[in-house]
Amino acid sequence: MMVHLDSDLLRTFVSVADTRNFTRAAHEVGRTQSAVSMQMKRLEAMVGEPLFERGPRGVALTARGTELLVNARRVVDLIDETAAALRAPDLEGRVRIGIPEEYSASVLSRALSSFAKAHRQVEVLVRYGRSSLHTDALERGDIDLAVVFEWESEPQGEVLMQDPTVWTTSDQHCVHEERPVPVALYESPGWCSEFAIELLKARSIDYRVAYRSDTGNGLRLAVSSGLAIAPLSRSNIPPGCRELTAVDGYGLIDSSSVVMYRRPGATGKATTAMADAIREAFKANAGGAGAD
């Protein structure tokens, strides 16, 4: 018997599979959680087999669900690509972006995917690095869009999200209980390291520098491996790790915002389209960061 699959059901299915959570998927597709649950029951009835295994930490795909996901994702991507091509202007040129490395996977990959589907003729150049480097590059005219961390109360750019910096530890290793506590810091000096150390001194926490890295991923590795605690943006805490709060004797290092700036002379449509894609990607990332 022929099974007529609804593209809306497939889109919701992909979202649930990606987020492993009905609530987060509901936010992504713009429906209520109960509506998403009903959609998945309909899809399972059409397929004739369970697609998910429910557990205390969310849902996981069954073997049949894993098999369906491959084709479902292809269908959804093709529909999105076709729709984007139909409504998007024919843009060309180059867009140069500076963004913290922390958001390369969680945000920029989503933005670039959305942008590429609609504007395949545009060349995209991405620089990863510290906020100060992006600010300087923007002032020199070397990049068109800069996404930076700012702790000013009223940033001059467009605030994309609030993402405080916090001390982070491994749940398994609990190195934050050691004295002196081993810490991981950026190799280059800057406000993040300075604020982080100031917090330790203010809390009278003895520390020793056990690890240095030029990248946020390096600090994440130090934390997840149990080598040290490290200052990380809250949205980038690795799995199996957690924020050290005031209850642990720590607290917020800063209450920084993630802010997007645009070079004054960058008025082209390609730059505007990329700014829109980055903005929407941050919204989606913030929406998926909630609790189950």
Side-chain angles (χ1 to χ4, degrees):
M1 182 178 68
M2 176 119 11
V3 177
H4 298 282
L5 295 176
D6 188 320
S7 62
D8 284 342
L9 294 183
L10 294 180
R11 183 180 301 279
T12 302
F13 169 70
V14 170
S15 183
V16 174
D18 286 345
T19 62
R20 297 291 195 268
N21 183 276
F22 277 50
T23 302
R24 295 177 186 172
H27 180 88
E28 283 196 354
V29 300
R31 295 178 181 272
T32 64
Q33 181 179 348
S34 59
V36 168
S37 297
M38 291 179 61
Q39 280 189 311
M40 293 303 92
K41 288 180 180 178
R42 284 177 54 200
L43 185 59
E44 288 179 326
M46 296 171 70
V47 173
E49 296 181 42
L51 300 175
F52 299 102
E53 295 177 347
R54 279 79 172 171
R57 292 184 174 273
V59 296
L61 289 172
T62 62
R64 185 59 166 160
T66 301
E67 180 183 334
L68 176 62
L69 180 61
V70 176
N71 287 327
R73 196 184 301 281
R74 290 171 56 193
V75 170
V76 172
D77 286 346
L78 182 58
I79 291 174
D80 288 346
E81 184 175 344
T82 302
L86 289 174
R87 67 173 180 263
D90 188 15
L91 300 182
E92 295 182 350
R94 172 191 287 187
V95 179
R96 301 166 300 173
I97 310 164
I99 191 169
E101 172 224 4
E102 289 93 331
Y103 301 112
S104 59
S106 62
V107 174
L108 190 60
S109 60
R110 185 193 297 260
L112 292 180
S113 176
S114 172
F115 186 85
K117 290 174 183 177
H119 311 295
R120 295 195 176 277
Q121 301 304 312
V122 177
E123 178 184 357
V124 180
L125 174 64
V126 179
R127 294 184 178 186
Y128 299 110
R130 302 191 309 275
S131 295
S132 59
L133 297 179
H134 298 325
T135 301
D136 293 342
L138 194 71
E139 292 178 353
R140 292 194 306 267
D142 293 341
I143 58 176
D144 305 304
L145 295 169
V147 177
V148 301
F149 288 112
E150 280 197 9
W151 60 96
E152 303 291 341
S153 58
E154 296 183 3
Q156 298 302 305
E158 177 184 354
V159 177
L160 299 171
M161 70 179 295
Q162 303 294 328
D163 202 2
T165 305
V166 298
W167 279 108
T168 309
T169 189
S170 164
D171 284 332
Q172 179 179 355
H173 300 93
C174 299
V175 292
H176 63 280
E177 297 176 354
E178 298 179 16
R179 291 296 181 273
V181 61
V183 302
L185 299 173
Y186 285 105
E187 177 66 28
S188 302
W191 64 267
C192 177
S193 296
E194 292 172 1
F195 284 16
I197 294 302
E198 285 179 6
L199 177 65
L200 297 182
K201 291 179 178 178
R203 298 289 194 276
S204 297
I205 299 174
D206 292 332
Y207 70 92
R208 63 180 178 87
V209 178
Y211 180 94
R212 288 189 181 272
S213 174
D214 284 334
T215 68
N217 282 338
L219 298 190
R220 285 164 55 93
L221 175 62
V223 175
S224 59
S225 64
L227 180 60
I229 64 172
L232 296 172
S233 53
R234 181 178 281 163
S235 71
N236 280 276
I237 296 176
C241 301
R242 68 177 180 86
E243 172 184 344
L244 289 168
T245 67
V247 175
D248 301 297
Y250 291 78
L252 292 181
I253 294 173
D254 67 47
S255 54
S256 58
S257 303
V258 182
V259 185
M260 180 165 61
Y261 286 93
R262 181 169 177 168
R263 182 171 58 83
T267 58
K269 293 182 179 179
T271 302
T272 298
M274 178 57 78
D276 292 341
I278 291 174
R279 183 183 305 110
E280 291 305 313
F282 268 97
K283 287 182 181 178
N285 185 62
D292 292 354

